[in-house]
Amino acid sequence: MAILAAEEAHNPLIPPLGEIVVGLIAFAIVYFVFAKFVAPRFEQIYRARREAIEGGIERAEAMQAEAKAALEQYRSQLAEARNEAAQIRDQARAEGQQIIEELRAQAQQESARIVARGEEQLASARQQIVNELRGQIGTLAVDLAGRVVGESLADDVRRRGTVDRFLAELDDMAAESNR
């Protein structure tokens, strides 16, 4: 009981009144210094940091939007370039096909011209050979006819008439055999 009575007079859980007053004054001074100087400084630093972060986020969002716009522009330019390349490729194919057709037409014209020239030369050579043969056949026919007839067909007028008649008969015979 004596311990209880001694404890009741001085409770260790409740500090002495002088310590409470000194503690409250010290707390008030620390609170005043903290509220007057430290808290505004923390608030200022916090605000600056928040503004820097928000500004950084806004800048990042703006840069991201700008990058998206640049990417869309790049994609549209790429699509446009692909379309243009396809048009150029199609146009080149068409021009190539047209050139091939033109060259083919020129080759056919040249071939036709060469064939026509060859046919003309062949017809000319044939006509020349026919004329030479007629002359030789005529001479041979006149000589032969002169031997058969027994008279000389040296006269040009007679000879030509005889040769022409003979050749006409040969032409008629050739015409009838071709029918």
Side-chain angles (χ1 to χ4, degrees):
M1 294 237 189
I3 298 179
L4 267 165
E7 284 184 17
E8 283 182 23
H10 179 35
N11 189 359
L13 295 176
I14 298 176
L17 188 59
E19 285 182 19
I20 292 176
V21 172
V22 170
L24 284 174
I25 292 173
F27 178 75
I29 291 172
V30 168
Y31 180 76
F32 176 75
V33 169
F34 187 78
K36 189 72 173 173
F37 298 109
V38 176
R41 180 71 180 146
F42 275 130
E43 189 64 33
Q44 183 183 12
I45 291 172
Y46 174 72
R47 194 176 317 116
R49 178 115 174 137
R50 187 181 66 216
E51 288 174 1
I53 290 171
E54 287 175 357
I57 290 173
E58 288 174 2
R59 283 192 309 272
E61 288 174 351
M63 292 175 96
Q64 188 175 13
E66 186 178 318
K68 283 182 182 179
L71 179 62
E72 289 301 317
Q73 182 182 6
Y74 167 74
R75 286 182 180 164
S76 67
Q77 287 176 349
L78 182 62
E80 184 179 318
R82 284 181 180 161
N83 288 337
E84 187 176 334
Q87 289 174 351
I88 290 171
R89 191 173 40 246
D90 291 342
Q91 184 179 6
R93 280 188 192 130
E95 287 177 1
Q97 193 66 23
Q98 182 181 3
I99 289 170
I100 288 171
E101 291 299 323
E102 287 175 1
L103 289 175
R104 187 174 289 144
Q106 286 177 356
Q108 287 175 350
Q109 289 174 351
E110 184 67 21
S111 173
R113 188 178 59 79
I114 290 171
V115 167
R117 189 172 355 137
E119 287 175 354
E120 287 174 4
Q121 288 176 350
L122 185 62
S124 171
R126 182 175 179 259
Q127 187 61 38
Q128 184 180 2
I129 290 172
V130 165
N131 288 340
E132 286 177 14
L133 285 176
R134 280 184 182 223
Q136 289 177 0
I137 288 174
T139 305
L140 289 174
V142 168
D143 288 344
L144 184 60
R147 287 184 192 163
V148 170
V149 173
E151 77 180 68
S152 171
L153 296 174
D155 185 16
D156 276 345
V157 175
R158 271 192 197 170
R159 187 174 33 157
R160 273 195 204 140
T162 305
V163 169
D164 287 340
R165 209 170 353 123
F166 177 73
L167 290 176
E169 288 175 10
L170 279 179
D171 286 339
D172 289 342
M173 282 192 248
E176 285 179 15
S177 66
N178 286 338
R179 288 183 193 169

